[in-house]
Amino acid sequence: MADIAHTVHVALGDRAYDILIGDSLLDDAGAILAERFPGRRYGIITDDNVARAQLPRLLKSLDAAGLGHTEIVLPAGEATKSWAYLGQAVEGILAARLERGDLVIALGGGVIGDLAGFAAAIARRGMDFVQMPTSLLAQVDSSVGGKTGINSPHGKNLIGAFHQPRLVLADLSTLDTLDARQFASGYAEVVKYGLIDDEDFFFWLEEHQAEIFAGGPARGEAIARCCAHKARVVIEDEKELGVRALLNLGHTFGHALEKDTGYSDRLLHGEGVAIGMVLAHGFSARLGLAPSQDSGRIAQHLKKSGLPTTLADIPGKLGSTETLMAAIAQDKKVSRGALTFILTRGIGQAFIEKNVDGAAVAEFLNEMRALPLSP
């Protein structure tokens, strides 16, 4: 039987689904899928790293349950979120003769989850899919809520669709295969939930950070709390017309930095978010909205977790402030040309600020560029 430690329900009416969190769920995935979705075939979209580490477990489970399947293996990395690899995924689904009533499985981290979900949204004008996130970032954030998509030369995640999964299986044991940098990158998204509107969770993270990184019981609890938080927000604002935008704390700066570094290993998504959250708190303090000491406390916690916290921490030469501002201007929260940022009045007090002065942002970035590497 599956070892399910936590279940989070996303109550979206006839599109409701469960997030199952526990150890070794990939080994029981076949039985779970056969019970919930009888008579289906499965198209598994994954990347070459996850294919080596986790795919054999899933295939064994599907075979044991007598479930038909095909596999589509793409390169690992943020650059895979492109038209070319989206087309490869969709054509793979069609070539396998998967029908509209069959299911796509997204087996991997945030890149695969976003791309596979988008492929499911458009293949045969819409197929159901299941998220099986194998990274911390995907388990706490990108696998939940139905945001799918790919990147554009104009910016990150600018092409996509809202398409909710039918089920999320978060196997905690897959996190043991992540290297330290990938795990830390995902942890930035964990911290984000505390900074948005739950200062008690942030304080809890400060106390339990070591146990989370070591794989103790606090890891599963942290993931469940993040998923429950996101589920509440998605239920209230599925299409990001209001409060869901708060989940983008740190992302306006972070996405611009990712674009500037070419969506490469120079800066992982969570690393960009970590720097972005420190910048968002620092900019809020500059505007007189938040205590100046908060950004230092947040930076200290992120740095302790192995994350970059300043622009100088990014390896290689960073583009000009004008280049960064051009990327910020393409942010999805921009409305009628006006910049929208997620700012804060303190830890756990994020809010949406519209009509932010671009000149003030540029001036702030210029000052931040002059700061040295974080100690």
Side-chain angles (χ1 to χ4, degrees):
M1 290 294 292
D3 182 13
I4 300 172
H6 307 273
T7 299
V8 177
H9 185 65
V10 185
L12 289 172
D14 59 0
R15 294 173 300 114
Y17 56 95
D18 289 329
I19 306 164
L20 307 182
I21 303 165
D23 286 317
S24 303
L25 293 188
L26 286 185
D27 303 313
D28 298 301
I32 294 170
L33 294 175
E35 179 182 356
R36 290 180 178 241
F37 313 110
R40 311 290 188 96
R41 294 174 62 227
Y42 296 86
I44 305 164
I45 301 177
T46 190
D47 67 45
D48 44 16
N49 288 341
V50 177
R52 289 189 293 270
Q54 310 297 347
L55 183 58
R57 297 173 58 197
L58 176 58
L59 296 184
K60 181 179 179 181
S61 178
L62 296 179
D63 289 340
L67 302 179
H69 55 80
T70 191
E71 301 81 53
I72 302 164
V73 180
L74 304 176
E78 187 72 30
T80 296
K81 285 177 61 173
S82 67
W83 282 116
Y85 289 113
L86 174 68
Q88 185 173 326
V90 172
E91 292 297 337
I93 290 170
L94 300 178
R97 297 187 178 181
L98 292 171
E99 300 173 356
R100 184 181 292 180
D102 293 326
L103 280 94
V104 172
I105 293 176
L107 177 68
V111 168
I112 288 297
D114 285 0
L115 183 143
F118 191 24
I122 61 177
R124 301 198 185 278
R125 294 186 176 175
M127 297 175 64
D128 289 336
F129 80 112
V130 174
Q131 288 274 16
M132 297 189 184
T134 60
S135 71
L136 180 59
L137 186 150
Q139 290 190 4
V140 302
D141 189 70
S142 60
S143 68
V144 180
K147 280 188 177 181
T148 72
I150 58 174
N151 300 330
S152 160
H154 295 287
K156 187 177 174 72
N157 295 332
L158 294 181
I159 304 160
F162 287 95
H163 188 50
Q164 297 293 341
R166 291 293 305 278
L167 178 69
V168 180
L169 293 182
D171 184 339
L172 298 176
S173 68
T174 64
L175 304 182
D176 296 332
T177 66
L178 299 178
D179 62 35
R181 186 184 179 196
Q182 286 285 352
F183 190 88
S185 176
Y187 184 71
E189 294 281 5
V190 176
V191 174
K192 176 191 74 176
Y193 288 101
L195 298 181
I196 292 171
D197 63 1
D198 192 350
E199 66 173 355
D200 288 341
F201 183 50
F202 178 76
F203 300 153
W204 182 86
L205 290 173
E206 288 183 315
E207 295 178 6
H208 293 85
Q209 183 259 0
E211 183 182 342
I212 292 169
F213 275 69
R219 178 181 290 183
E221 182 178 347
I223 292 170
R225 290 177 69 168
C226 291
C227 288
H229 186 156
K230 185 159 189 180
R232 290 193 300 271
V233 174
V234 170
I235 291 166
E236 181 178 350
D237 179 26
E238 181 182 0
K239 297 295 181 69
E240 199 174 292
L241 300 175
V243 296
R244 186 169 180 176
L246 291 172
L247 295 174
N248 289 312
L249 175 65
H251 286 59
T252 301
F253 287 119
H255 285 172
L257 295 171
E258 283 186 87
K259 181 178 184 296
D260 189 75
T261 53
Y263 304 117
S264 68
D265 285 345
R266 280 180 60 196
L267 187 72
L268 301 180
H269 173 68
E271 294 173 337
V273 170
I275 296 171
M277 291 190 297
V278 175
L279 291 175
H281 281 79
F283 185 56
S284 297
R286 173 65 53 85
L287 296 176
L289 300 169
S292 59
Q293 64 267 28
D294 280 358
S295 58
R297 181 172 183 173
I298 294 162
Q300 181 180 23
H301 182 67
L302 294 171
K303 191 68 177 178
K304 180 181 177 183
S305 305
L307 286 160
T309 58
T310 70
L311 297 178
D313 290 337
I314 302 172
K317 184 178 179 181
L318 199 61
S320 67
T321 297
E322 290 74 17
T323 300
L324 295 177
M325 290 302 300
I328 287 172
Q330 284 279 14
D331 185 81
K332 296 184 298 299
K333 296 184 295 300
V334 171
S335 178
R336 300 185 185 278
L339 297 183
T340 297
F341 274 75
I342 309 305
L343 300 180
T344 180
R345 296 185 178 88
I347 293 172
Q349 300 179 62
F351 66 97
I352 302 167
E353 180 68 15
K354 299 181 179 180
N355 298 314
V356 173
D357 182 7
V361 177
E363 181 182 357
F364 174 72
L365 283 174
N366 280 328
E367 294 179 13
M368 293 302 101
R369 295 167 71 92
L371 294 180
L373 283 165
S374 57

